[in-house]
Amino acid sequence: MTVRPAPLPVAALALAALLLAPAAPAAGPGSPRSFVKVAVTEAEAAVLARDGFDLAGYDREAGEAGIVATAGELERLGRRGLCWTLADAGEAAGPAAAALSDYTDPQEMSAFLDQVAAAYPNLAKKVLLQGVLFEGQKVWALKITKDVDLPNERPVFLLDAQHHAREVMTAEITRDAVDYLTSRYATDAQVRNWVDNLNVWVIPVVNPDGAMYVFTTDPTWRKNRHTGCGVDNNRNYSVYWGACNGSSGLCADETFRGTAPDSEPETQAVEALTQEGRPLFALSYHSYGQYILYSYGCADPDEKVILDGIAQGLNGILVKDNGAPGGWATGPIWSTIYPADGGSVDTQYGRYGTYAYVIEVNSASFQPSYAVYRDVTVQRQRTAWQYFLDKTLTAPQIRGKVTDAGTGQPLAAAVSVQEVSFTHGEQPRRADARGLYHWLAAANATYHLTFSMPGYCTETRTVAVGTGPATVDVALGYPAAPSGLAAAPGTNSVALSWNAVAGVPEYRVYRGLAPGGPYALARTVAAPAISMTDAPVSGQVTYYYVVRSYLLCESPDSAEVSARPAGPCTMAPVFAGVGSVTAPLNSTCTLSLSWAPATAYCGGPVTYRVYRGTSASFVPGPANLIAAGLAGTGYADHAALSNGTTYYYVVCSVDGSSGAEDANAAVLGAMPRGPLPFQTCTVGAAPVPKEASPAGAPLTCAKGAGSAVVLAYTPACGALDTAVYGGTGPIAGAPGWSAVYCGLGNTGRAAFDPGTPAPGGWLYFVVVGQNAAKEGSYGQRFDGAAYAERPEAAGVAGCDRPQDLAGTCP
Ligand code: 0X9
Ligand code: ZN
């Protein structure tokens, strides 16, 4: 409203050029752009936005999309068969230079905030949210509450505007709200009720650099002024950043999301205030199109019912530009307007639990005539932000403070509600740094809350919410740790005692082998007993003890004590047991075991024993001990393993000095894939090879240990098991298969032992997909003396490449 000397003619000139030159050739960013109207449906408008057109708004009454377009973009519209009309510079449409100059620019807004803070020092404080942007402006907020300089724990409402620079009406609304709440405090009981009982934060201009550019240079500018590449602040927030084709990765585009989530100083400012203040409700103004929107920009929120209830309640009373209430398009952003990712409300709601809304104000323009629309718009929008002030104060909700029961200090505990499960990657809701939490509730409903914090006993509360706020403060505690823990070593025993903790029903004695743990539970002791003897334990080993008391949850550790008992060292090594069992695909039927070394406490040396069984629950003992006295950390078992059997192993360690063996519970199993007796099993119809494998490929045959054979082949696609058929030839026609080896996997390697053929005799092999209808591999022959490929077989039998094993391969 104030008169600025220099920038005005510049704006007027830029506008004149803009309005007169819609057909000028496109000249990259900064080329003149026109605000045009295109008659399309709302859904078609969303498609235009998705396709990169700068959709400034949608006039649902007129059925017109408003597009800010370069000459090139106007041509593109034409090529889509869309006719456009230049938006009228008069009444409703704009933008119009005369109207724009009346609007509040960011410097005027800053000065206005100064005036308000000076006039109402107990009510209003101007707070710098971001001092460094790109072109010299700053992001300011005004905090409005009674005794604004004193800390308080009143609920918070956050109002913001002008994420998008050109949406100048939105800043008028925040300006009006600031004026209303401060100037009427002394005389208006309703205002006093809000200001006395709430913290109202207003960010009148989120994007002041961009806004200043609108007033000085380009009235259609939307983004911030990030040097080289303006960023759409309302696509830069971290939740859903770049997630659903609702933004652009291109610098020049009007919905450029920036190079990283939260990269922009304006975005950071809003997010930081949201994080610190934890508003229950937030309202973000945009223009235009007459929408009431809530999260998400990419999907429906889990709390959609309650979010929608709030929005519909407002829709019923909020008056549109046509003078009638109702008829605002209301719903989640993604389905109501268009997919938009990285928007402010999604981060406010998804990350901080703020019930955040967007209002797109005005029916037909982001810069309607100031004279015609400014006052009526801000007056009508009082209904909206006052609605949210009332909701913040009186809506059914659960709120409270989580503290440490002992110290009273706030705890940022996790707070969950059984009735609400989040499915969009939301982090658990937490109380803020002051221990404050909130949850919007349905009226007359019961909720089950859980408060948890590491080191504290988890608390639950059942809360019956009525028609207003329910306050549930929770003090989280934990039992005190026992004091006075003492340890007296005996012979293979340690006597422990400690001081009683009042009211505690149980103590838990923990023992470790190193200072500071890790500890394992040694014994629970029911109160009132305050001592126990830990026995038998090993002599000559230093043990470390702590005791915790238990009442709903464990206390912290008592002070640690240690003791070194007398008597023989009986301690088994500390050992995690078998670490891996693998079946190497070599020609010797082997399972390979490995383990991490054990630690001996009685002097060692450590050796290992290997036990083997055929079920995972076998009990290691002398009957199944297969190796002992092993000094290394691995073992290869190739003793009489049989096909199709999974073998299970337990490895134990033995201290050579004490003879004590550990009793770890680790069991691992594997199935060997070595050369097994060539056996008969049923895998469906035997194959009839169509052709032989050429010499050397794709199926090759090598001699394994003894009479074993190792075939190498190209694995089939898919995850089929393979089998090998073997028999006497010739392959051509009907081979006489005498055996089949099953369950080879699809590894490209098959090792088995067909025995030695009769002198001068030949064996032929075919690898097939097991259980597959079609044969699918290669023919190769084997004779007992040498492994040669019969030249006469080439081209006549066997089959080639892994073809069609399951009918699904490419
Ligand atoms: O596209 C936007 O950012 C908003 N429309 S506007 O015409 N003002 O640009 C819609 C905002 C939806 N809100 C969020 N995604 N947070
Ligand atoms: Zn906007």
Side-chain angles (χ1 to χ4, degrees), residues 164 167 222 286-287 360:
H164 293 137
E167 296 166 13
R222 169 183 169 97
H286 285 258
S287 68
E360 297 267 1

Side-chain angles (χ1 to χ4, degrees), residues 693 696-700 711-718 722 745-750 767-769 776-778 799-803 805:
S693 172
L699 176 67
T700 60
L711 300 183
Y713 60 96
T714 308
C717 64
T722 57
N746 184 18
T747 61
R749 214 173 159 79
V767 183
V768 301
S777 200
Y778 319 104
C799 57
D800 63 7
R801 286 146 289 281
Q803 50 187 340
L805 280 178

Side-chain angles (χ1 to χ4, degrees), residues 701-716:
C701 196
K703 193 167 164 21
S707 53
V709 172
V710 182
L711 300 183
Y713 60 96
T714 308

Side-chain angles (χ1 to χ4, degrees), residues 55-57 164 167 222 232 234-235 286-288 293 297 333 337-338 340-346 358 360:
L55 179 65
H164 293 137
E167 296 166 13
R222 169 183 169 97
D232 182 346
N234 209 35
R235 297 293 185 279
H286 285 258
S287 68
Y288 66 89
L293 304 168
I333 291 154
I337 179 162
Y338 39 67
D341 44 43
S344 64
V345 296
D346 287 0
V358 168
E360 297 267 1

